[in-house]
Amino acid sequence: MLSRVADNLYWFGRYLQRAENTARLINVNSNLLLDLPRNIVFGWEPLIQIVGADEQFRERYVDDFCEHNVLRFLMLDEHHHGSILTSLQLAREILRTVRDTAPREVWERLNDLHYFVQGRGEMVMSRTRRQDFLQRVIDSAVLVYGTLIGNMSRDVGFHVLQVGTHLEQADMTTRILDVRSTSLIDTGPKQDLAPFYNIQWMSVLRSLTAYQMYRRHVRARVNRSGVLRFLLQNREFPRSVMHCMAMIGASLPQLPQNRNVERTLWRVRAIVQDASIDRLVERGLSEFIDEVQIGLAELHEALAQAYFRG
């Protein structure tokens, strides 16, 4: 397979997952707005920091991190490569150039999703319509991916697509967890947030469609340690970091062997697998998430050097 085609399929998987998971990321915040008392002041700036776009945001909106600006930037801003609209545009352009590698139905359904997002514009900025919009993006992205996986030949292109998809999912799962570990709620020194902590973790589970599987595997009430252990280390849930790393590992034997890629993957797996969740709860999650994301970035670079820059 030409490195250009492999690169395109890898990024198609990433952009499709990015659009879906950016919608899920916004849902973490949006759901909390409904669950928490009105007297709690809610912050939107951490979402920009978590997706690593602080500099880009300030270039366009200066320091105005209001709900409207953050949502426009994450959902509809064509100058931000991580926005839902731009991710779908890039995925669509890639699929247009490699249409012979994917079923026709994938092109049609991706087009439908792209035009849906492009056509909604200002209508989705209101809270009353936002939930339906985000859920439509999530459901449609899942449908596109399911159509692709269900009908694509299991050749080298398929495995490259899988690697990109699961690398992006692992990255976005850690970012969604990072939403919770960041100071989203500004309440003042006297506000007792203890009754609301589990509500926030439940919102994280629901944003990843993980609540029922959490209850099935953990068999306990939702709590911080249980959610972290499930979304980081569970090997069976498709959106957990460990499962994503396992899926990448399963695809690597189908690609040309590269020791650097294998070693980098095993380092990331070891970081996640060996993490003490109880210690993370005591010391804070942000530094650990940073370490995992650096490892994922190194894995991306190793993949690019091995397969896409030849």
Side-chain angles (χ1 to χ4, degrees):
M1 171 175 287
L2 294 174
S3 60
R4 179 185 60 82
V5 177
D7 188 30
N8 281 336
L9 289 170
Y10 171 83
W11 278 109
F12 177 81
R14 295 205 65 165
Y15 285 134
L16 184 62
Q17 285 295 309
R18 189 168 300 175
E20 177 193 338
N21 281 287
T22 298
R24 294 181 182 277
L25 188 66
I26 297 168
N27 256 345
V28 175
N29 255 27
S30 297
N31 289 341
L32 286 177
L33 282 172
L34 302 176
D35 293 335
L36 295 175
R38 292 184 178 182
N39 64 316
I40 294 182
V41 180
F42 212 69
W44 289 89
E45 181 178 356
L47 267 67
I48 301 299
Q49 297 169 346
I50 287 164
V51 300
D54 189 74
E55 185 176 342
Q56 277 185 281
F57 182 90
R58 291 179 187 276
E59 287 177 357
R60 299 195 40 81
Y61 302 100
V62 195
D63 294 322
D64 188 0
F65 290 91
C66 67
E67 179 180 348
H68 182 275
N69 288 349
V70 170
L71 289 176
R72 174 184 289 280
F73 183 74
L74 292 176
M75 292 196 297
L76 303 171
D77 196 323
E78 295 190 35
H79 299 281
H80 171 43
H81 280 194
S83 74
I84 293 173
L85 178 59
T86 303
S87 295
L88 291 174
Q89 287 175 338
L90 292 169
R92 182 172 175 269
E93 179 60 25
I94 287 172
L95 191 59
R96 187 185 64 79
T97 64
V98 293
R99 286 175 66 173
D100 58 332
T101 65
R104 179 182 177 85
E105 291 80 4
V106 175
W107 170 255
E108 294 172 351
R109 288 171 180 170
L110 181 62
N111 260 340
D112 290 343
L113 175 56
H114 171 258
Y115 287 124
F116 166 77
V117 173
Q118 189 178 55
R120 285 305 173 106
E122 294 297 329
M123 291 190 296
V124 303
M125 300 306 294
S126 67
R127 291 183 183 179
T128 55
R129 298 183 179 182
R130 184 189 312 157
Q131 187 70 30
D132 290 341
F133 171 81
L134 294 172
Q135 195 58 52
R136 173 76 176 271
V137 171
I138 293 168
D139 292 345
S140 298
V142 170
L143 180 60
V144 171
Y145 181 68
T147 303
L148 190 60
I149 295 304
N151 297 283
M152 188 173 179
S153 298
R154 268 44 178 177
D155 53 12
V156 173
F158 172 83
H159 290 288
V160 171
L161 173 73
Q162 286 286 79
V163 168
T165 297
H166 288 101
L167 182 57
E168 184 70 24
Q169 180 61 63
D171 180 68
M172 292 301 288
T173 295
T174 60
R175 291 179 187 275
I176 287 171
L177 286 173
D178 209 10
V179 172
R180 174 55 190 88
S181 69
T182 309
S183 179
L184 289 175
I185 300 174
D186 181 13
T187 59
K190 296 182 180 181
Q191 179 73 46
D192 182 11
L193 288 179
F196 309 118
Y197 285 156
N198 289 348
I199 290 177
Q200 295 183 74
W201 286 111
M202 190 177 297
S203 178
V204 170
L205 286 174
R206 285 175 173 162
S207 73
L208 288 166
T209 321
Y211 178 71
Q212 286 181 290
M213 292 301 101
Y214 172 89
R215 295 301 299 267
R216 179 182 174 186
H217 285 274
V218 180
R219 298 183 182 277
R221 298 182 69 178
V222 174
N223 61 80
R224 175 172 50 183
S225 297
V227 173
L228 288 175
R229 189 171 287 109
F230 182 70
L231 292 179
L232 288 171
Q233 297 177 332
N234 187 280
R235 296 175 181 272
E236 298 176 3
F237 182 64
R239 299 186 191 280
S240 77
V241 177
M242 277 302 296
H243 181 85
C244 291
M245 294 298 99
M247 292 300 292
I248 293 173
S251 286
L252 287 186
Q254 311 304 319
L255 305 177
Q257 186 177 38
N258 186 280
R259 293 295 185 187
N260 187 39
V261 172
E262 294 172 2
R263 285 194 298 267
T264 307
L265 174 63
W266 279 105
R267 280 200 301 270
V268 179
R269 292 182 67 169
I271 291 171
V272 178
Q273 179 177 303
D274 298 341
S276 169
I277 300 300
D278 293 333
R279 191 173 299 172
L280 289 178
V281 169
E282 293 176 4
R283 299 183 178 180
L285 187 62
S286 290
E287 289 186 9
F288 171 76
I289 293 295
D290 288 344
E291 185 179 7
V292 175
Q293 289 178 348
I294 289 171
L296 293 173
E298 291 174 348
L299 178 57
H300 162 73
E301 183 61 26
L303 288 163
Q305 291 286 352
Y307 303 125
F308 310 141
R309 295 175 184 167

